[in-house]
Amino acid sequence: MQWGSRPIGPMGLEGVAAVLAVKDLDSAKTRLAASLRVTGHCRHRAGGTVGAHRDLVLAMLADTIGALGAAGVADIAVVTPDDAVLRVAAEVGAIGIRERPAVDHGHRPVHGKAHSDGFTSRGVDPLNRAYAQGAMALSADRPGVHTMVLVQADLPAATPRSLREVLAAAAGHRQAVLGDRDGTGTTLLVRDASESAPPRFGVDSLTAHINAGAIDLDPTGLLWPDLRTDVDTATDLDAARLLGLGPRTIAVLDPSQPGVSGSVDAS
């Protein structure tokens, strides 16, 4: 699969924006890193499994952003405390937002602009705090946005077609959620941009989001397997590979493939 990072022509989804949240690379996907050490999925890097793990996290992020852009989502923000993640986000056309502490009444830059939002979320875990920060930043900077898509950053098999179908299915609902392939977690939450409460990503988040009023877009668990397959372990990665990976993830796993460079700069 090969696609650009920005929508072209009539496929643009006017008023739809997306937010992804990524931990610092030393903390991101620790379960995946442990699985990679056992299975040897990424063996090409001179830096060993640690370097391969970092490259893989960045590649999956880039492919997820690429799928969103190709689906027609013009405004995509990545919230993270990590400089390498911010660089990769910028490379693929996303807006990088540096993650802030739990309480910060100061200013936050978006595309070189500063906004004061009085964002407070003490007591909320860092991942959900980051999603809320990104959604608030995009809403302030893009007043035309009416729909916010909160997306896991590790969907390397995601396709533009599935994303467009999910967004169409979510239309008309104030909140709608798509579960992961285990049926317990959340890979994607679509909600009205006016919703300001932090989301509920994490353990048993599918139930938590439904209890908070979100409509389950696929209670059967049979639709959109590419969007359900977030990658937390080597087994998840194998499942995503069977569905078809994005170009950057392919290049990290198999640098002999032509096209995109296998190493994403994490320095």
Side-chain angles (χ1 to χ4, degrees):
M1 293 178 287
Q2 182 75 43
W3 49 69
S5 63
R6 306 297 287 178
I8 298 174
M11 300 209 24
L13 297 170
E14 185 177 355
V16 178
V19 179
L20 302 88
V22 183
K23 298 177 182 178
D24 69 89
L25 290 178
D26 291 334
S27 302
K29 294 295 171 189
T30 52
R31 287 172 57 200
L32 177 59
S35 293
L36 294 176
R37 283 194 294 272
V38 172
T39 61
H41 274 62
C42 301
R43 57 190 178 277
H44 70 281
R45 282 274 303 202
T49 304
V50 172
H53 163 247
R54 290 165 65 88
D55 272 0
L56 184 57
V57 170
L58 293 170
M60 293 192 297
L61 168 67
D63 282 334
T64 305
I65 294 170
L68 285 163
V73 181
D75 295 310
I76 304 168
V78 178
V79 183
T80 180
D82 195 287
D83 288 337
V85 175
L86 290 171
R87 283 196 296 272
V88 169
E91 287 173 8
V92 294
I95 302 165
I97 301 175
R98 187 171 297 280
E99 184 179 332
R100 296 205 316 273
V103 176
D104 182 352
H105 293 277
H107 295 267
R108 168 250 308 120
V110 179
H111 274 197
K113 300 177 181 179
H115 303 276
S116 178
D117 54 25
F119 181 81
T120 60
S121 58
R122 187 179 295 279
V124 178
D125 72 273
L127 177 65
N128 289 308
R129 188 171 67 239
Y131 276 117
Q133 179 189 343
M136 189 172 294
L138 279 181
S139 292
D141 201 62
R142 302 288 192 272
V145 169
H146 55 70
T147 299
M148 202 69 64
V149 189
L150 310 184
V151 191
Q152 294 279 24
D154 57 351
L155 301 176
T159 63
R161 177 177 179 176
S162 290
L163 285 163
R164 288 192 294 268
E165 290 177 356
V166 163
L167 290 172
H173 298 296
R174 188 165 182 83
Q175 293 190 79
V177 64
L178 185 67
D180 62 13
R181 68 192 191 100
D182 292 331
T184 59
T186 298
T187 60
L188 185 149
L189 178 67
V190 185
R191 64 185 194 175
D192 191 283
S194 64
E195 289 284 343
S196 59
R200 293 163 171 80
F201 286 92
V203 177
D204 295 326
S205 62
L206 179 59
T207 297
H209 282 128
I210 292 171
N211 289 343
I215 299 298
D216 189 346
L217 291 172
D218 180 24
T220 67
L222 299 177
L223 301 176
W224 310 300
D226 55 315
L227 300 184
R228 290 183 171 278
T229 306
D230 58 331
V231 176
D232 290 321
T233 68
T235 299
D236 296 332
L237 186 58
D238 286 337
R241 194 198 298 262
L242 290 175
L243 292 168
L245 298 169
R248 287 182 178 244
T249 305
I250 289 174
V252 167
L253 295 174
D254 185 0
S256 67
Q257 292 289 323
V260 181
S261 170
S263 178
V264 180
D265 182 14
S267 61

